Amino acid sequence: MNGPLASFLTDANFKSVLYIVAFSLFIYGLSGLTGPKTAVRGNRIAAIGMSIAVVATLLVDPFHNPVLIIIGSLIGVGVGVPAARKVKMTAMPQMVALFNGVGGGAVALIAWAEFRTSGGFDVTPTYIVVFSLFSAIVGSVSFWGSNIAFGKLQELISGAPITLKALQLPVQALVGLVAIGSAVAIATGSTSEGLMVLLLISAGVFGVLLVLPIGGADMPVVISLLNAFTGLAAAAAGVSLDNQALIVAGMIVGASGTILTQQMAIAMNRTIVSVIAGGFGGGGGDAPAGAAGAGGGTVRSTSASDVAIQMAYARLVVIVPGYGMAVSQAQHAVKEMANLLESKGVEVKYAIHPVAGRMPGHMNVLLAEADVPYEQLKEMDDINGEFKRTDVSLVIGANDVTNPDARNKADSPIYGMPILNVDESQSTIVLKRSMSSGYAGIDNPLFVDPKTSMLFGDAKASVEAITEELKAL
């Protein structure tokens, strides 16, 4: 394409205008993600912004092999769209980890490609070299770390901490030094591709060793942290490629991921350093239900009919969702039960802990899918004051975030972690498959509280049974 139109479309000023439009759509779309009612629209607006940024890049920066770009795009669409449409909501944390890892891997490969096409950064400005190497290391760490997180969440590998025991820190430090040393050698003039490959491999091993020791209880924080890593790596790649869209998008992801990681660590009364250090959270065993509970107390079993009677004559019922609701896909059954309670004049609210589930906002997403009104979803700080006037708290697989030891037991691993104060309710019903511990791998004295009754079984089946009993009242 030649002539005035071609000159206009390939003009750098036109590219800058398109990038400004794209940035604005990124930020406006992100603001829509603050609530379920606007989240879908926000996602679409941000996607339009990204499409504009891609078009702007291709218009101004001529590509040498359009066939490869088209093939790559078709493969990405062919894999991504069906995967996103078919994935179950219970598997969304795994998909987030996997997609995040793909982003980090792409950035690492870009850095490698830049190394090769520039003759080993032979005549490349030093600051570009530094940013490229940074993106290579952090992108590789994010890719391989995210894959380990995916494996833990998908239960392909154990959710319990996996360490090299006494060798963990020395080995981790060694591979980290190898990656940094390789980067320094390249930055100071080495053009050896072997060094670049060694950098990528050692950074990848570091990413694996970083996530393996982290238990399942900390997975939400890990996913958020790796997301921030990917964003920072993308921003660095944007600097090395002189691509403003990549810089802005990467900084948005890096900043938001960092803030979210810090907020989640605070919600768990943990530091980010303690999370990365690992060794906490066992993944929860499947011990059979029994009469003896934590500290030798007595577990009181109940039935669906007894639960239905308690809730039908209550004034306020607070539903506390956790991973047990997610894994049994019980959100729609919970919504039906809540509708039935409300038809009987019972006030129903949902208590949402910041780290309930396996990713940030996991419970909000599941309940929004079931069309639970956003106004009924109460964050921890808003709902904790309500428990003293709550007649029945229905805990659905939310183990660690309801553990009173976080308040009462100074030597507990979770002491100081803010929790949902369900033990202050007049009555607490806990839906669980068994008396197994949660992902933190510690006992919950709530289960043997005199005001607590346990309804054992699959969460969805239990909720459906309660609903049928409610219909008969």
Side-chain angles (χ1 to χ4, degrees):
M1 183 171 62
N2 297 309
L5 179 60
S7 298
F8 174 75
L9 291 177
T10 57
D11 185 79
N13 291 326
F14 179 62
K15 171 186 175 182
S16 298
V17 170
L18 288 180
Y19 277 164
I20 291 172
V21 172
F23 304 157
S24 301
L25 292 176
F26 288 164
I27 297 170
Y28 184 59
L30 186 63
S31 67
L33 301 181
T34 55
K37 293 181 179 179
T38 57
V40 173
R41 183 183 67 192
N43 234 338
R44 289 171 178 166
I45 290 172
I48 293 171
M50 182 56 70
S51 299
I52 293 173
V54 170
V55 169
T57 300
L58 296 181
L59 279 176
V60 182
D61 300 324
F63 41 87
H64 301 289
N65 198 326
V67 175
L68 281 180
I69 290 179
I70 293 171
I71 291 174
S73 299
L74 290 176
I75 292 174
V77 171
V79 173
V81 172
R85 292 180 66 88
K86 292 181 180 180
V87 66
K88 296 179 180 179
M89 293 304 296
T90 51
M92 193 58 68
Q94 294 94 301
M95 172 156 279
V96 170
L98 196 59
F99 279 4
N100 175 66
V102 168
V107 169
L109 290 177
I110 288 172
W112 189 8
E114 287 295 302
F115 176 88
R116 301 190 66 185
T117 56
S118 64
F121 299 131
D122 190 27
V123 292
T124 305
T126 302
Y127 80 95
I128 296 294
V129 176
V130 172
F131 277 104
S132 294
L133 293 173
F134 176 84
S135 64
I137 292 175
V138 178
S140 188
V141 169
S142 178
F143 175 75
W144 290 105
S146 294
N147 275 279
I148 296 300
F150 169 82
K152 283 178 174 278
L153 293 167
Q154 192 67 19
E155 298 182 355
L156 299 177
I157 57 179
S158 173
I162 301 173
T163 71
L164 299 175
K165 300 187 183 300
L167 293 176
Q168 178 68 34
L169 287 178
V171 172
Q172 200 165 338
L174 176 63
V175 295
L177 288 173
V178 170
I180 295 172
S182 300
V184 170
I186 293 171
T188 53
S190 174
T191 59
S192 169
E193 188 167 3
L195 270 179
M196 188 66 180
V197 173
L198 179 62
L199 180 153
L200 293 171
I201 292 174
S202 56
V205 174
F206 185 87
V208 170
L209 293 175
L210 181 71
V211 180
L212 275 177
I214 300 175
D218 287 333
M219 274 302 116
V221 182
V222 173
I223 292 175
S224 180
L225 182 62
L226 291 173
N227 185 57
F229 282 1
T230 297
L232 293 174
V239 173
S240 64
L241 296 174
D242 191 27
N243 187 300
Q244 293 94 332
L246 202 52
I247 295 172
V248 173
M251 290 307 297
I252 290 174
V253 173
S256 59
T258 301
I259 292 170
L260 181 58
T261 302
Q262 181 64 24
Q263 288 180 336
M264 296 184 72
I266 292 172
M268 299 172 68
N269 196 39
R270 309 278 304 284
T271 64
I272 296 176
V273 173
S274 70
V275 171
I276 294 175
F280 178 76
D286 287 325
T298 301
V299 175
R300 297 160 186 80
S301 297
T302 188
S303 64
S305 60
D306 287 341
V307 175
I309 291 172
Q310 283 192 60
M311 293 200 299
Y313 293 100
R315 290 169 297 177
L316 173 61
V317 170
V318 174
I319 298 171
V320 184
Y323 190 63
M325 185 187 77
V327 77
S328 65
Q329 301 182 59
Q331 60 268 29
H332 293 282
V334 169
K335 176 62 163 58
E336 182 184 358
M337 179 187 68
N339 287 345
L340 194 55
L341 286 170
E342 289 172 336
S343 71
K344 296 179 180 293
V346 180
E347 183 182 6
V348 178
K349 296 182 179 181
Y350 297 80
I352 310 297
H353 193 281
V355 293
R358 295 294 179 266
M359 74 173 184
H362 196 183
M363 297 300 104
N364 303 68
V365 172
L366 289 174
L367 294 170
E369 183 204 22
D371 294 324
V372 173
Y374 184 63
E375 296 74 21
Q376 291 185 351
L377 306 182
K378 304 297 182 181
E379 298 296 331
M380 178 177 62
D381 292 339
D382 297 325
I383 196 65
N384 266 346
E386 299 281 322
F387 281 114
K388 289 183 179 179
R389 74 176 189 91
T390 299
D391 297 296
V392 180
S393 286
L394 186 68
V395 180
I396 309 177
N399 193 334
D400 303 319
V401 298
T402 61
N403 193 327
D405 276 352
R407 291 195 320 262
N408 306 327
K409 191 175 180 182
D411 61 348
S412 171
I414 62 171
Y415 182 71
M417 169 182 166
I419 62 167
L420 294 166
N421 299 328
V422 297
D423 56 325
E424 295 179 354
S425 306
Q426 300 302 310
S427 175
T428 303
I429 310 295
V430 178
L431 274 55
K432 277 180 64 69
R433 288 180 179 273
S434 68
M435 282 299 296
S436 61
S437 59
Y439 249 55
I442 57 177
D443 289 326
N444 190 343
L446 176 69
F447 301 159
V448 294
D449 188 296
K451 296 187 295 182
T452 298
S453 298
M454 309 288 294
L455 181 57
F456 293 108
D458 175 77
K460 183 178 180 181
S462 296
V463 171
E464 289 174 342
I466 294 170
T467 302
E468 290 303 313
E469 295 291 340
L470 284 170
K471 291 177 180 178
L473 293 175

